[in-house]
Amino acid sequence: MPDEGSPAGVPATAMVPVAQIFRRDAPGPWWPAGIDLLQILWCPNEHWDPPAPQADVSPVLEVRWRRAADVVDALTTPPPPSRYEEDGYLPQACAITAERVTDFPFREELPAELRPRLEELVRETGDGGDAITRLAGWKLGGWPTWHLNQPTVFTCGDCGTAMTLLFTVASDDETGVVVGRWGDLRIFTCPADHRHAFWVDLH
């Protein structure tokens, strides 16, 4: 993908792989029928005012749904970007072991009848509420946090369906990734059709 902010005469910057996930490792409702490979890439440069659905002042992303059997010319060494502005936009290569965990909505999105119990848990644990209802870190699926603003519903621009959280890229020492002010970059997708445009939110 060309880097729109690259200086004149500088070659387009190669996209950087962020995550590659196989269906066999992380089965769940986020997988479209016939798809077994999810690839997420981004441009390792800040884009201050990109068009929707990208987030301002952050890397520009690509989300690729694929069939693993169709990937026959995989590059063993991806091309490095010709330039990058932030070390935090170059994830350290690593392999992960998938772990299934239970994630709950942010406290303000919980049903009213569960909120008294949440308040009890907050008092018992002293964690401020967010850690109980929203697991931190890189994750596929789950629930987003809204600790910086009010909960927001993103609607699909193609069909109007409420979008769901697909993937969270969290600022993290181990991966070397830092987005925003040590925040999260979240990808929301349409649950009705994976071919509809996704939405990126920086929190």
Side-chain angles (χ1 to χ4, degrees):
M1 175 177 177
D3 183 353
E4 296 175 359
S6 62
V10 175
T13 298
M15 299 290 278
V16 174
V18 176
Q20 177 169 273
I21 304 166
F22 291 91
R23 185 173 191 150
R24 64 177 180 268
D25 296 325
W30 39 77
W31 291 100
I35 299 295
D36 62 356
L37 176 60
L38 170 63
Q39 296 175 323
I40 299 171
L41 305 95
W42 70 26
C43 172
N45 295 298
E46 282 189 339
H47 293 250
W48 285 83
D49 191 21
Q54 305 291 343
D56 291 343
V57 197
S58 66
V60 168
L61 280 88
E62 283 190 13
V63 176
R64 299 177 180 174
W65 297 101
R66 309 180 72 177
R67 293 178 63 251
D70 295 337
V71 183
V72 295
D73 295 321
L75 295 175
T76 56
T77 304
S82 58
R83 69 183 188 92
Y84 60 92
E85 296 168 356
E86 302 285 346
D87 290 338
Y89 295 159
L90 296 177
Q92 300 298 314
C94 63
I96 62 171
T97 300
E99 179 182 1
R100 183 177 291 274
V101 295
T102 300
D103 198 14
F104 294 98
F106 190 60
R107 55 182 177 266
E108 294 183 19
E109 294 183 290
L110 284 171
E113 62 270 20
L114 295 180
R115 292 181 185 177
R117 178 55 182 147
L118 171 62
E119 293 174 1
E120 292 178 14
L121 289 172
V122 170
R123 286 194 296 271
E124 291 169 6
T125 62
D127 73 357
D130 194 27
I132 292 175
T133 58
R134 191 274 306 182
L135 295 177
W138 290 51
K139 61 184 179 182
L140 181 66
W143 298 90
T145 180
W146 299 109
H147 64 276
L148 297 179
N149 58 338
Q150 292 297 314
T152 301
V153 176
F154 299 108
T155 56
C156 175
D158 295 302
C159 69
T161 301
M163 304 179 92
T164 55
L165 179 64
L166 172 69
F167 195 77
T168 300
V169 179
S171 297
D172 178 79
D173 283 324
E174 187 170 345
T175 61
V177 169
V178 178
V179 290
R181 295 181 178 178
W182 203 261
D184 293 347
L185 196 67
R186 295 97 63 90
I187 304 170
F188 292 82
T189 55
C190 176
D193 194 328
H194 73 284
R195 293 165 296 189
H196 291 175
F198 58 88
W199 189 270
V200 182
D201 178 67
L202 180 60
H203 191 84

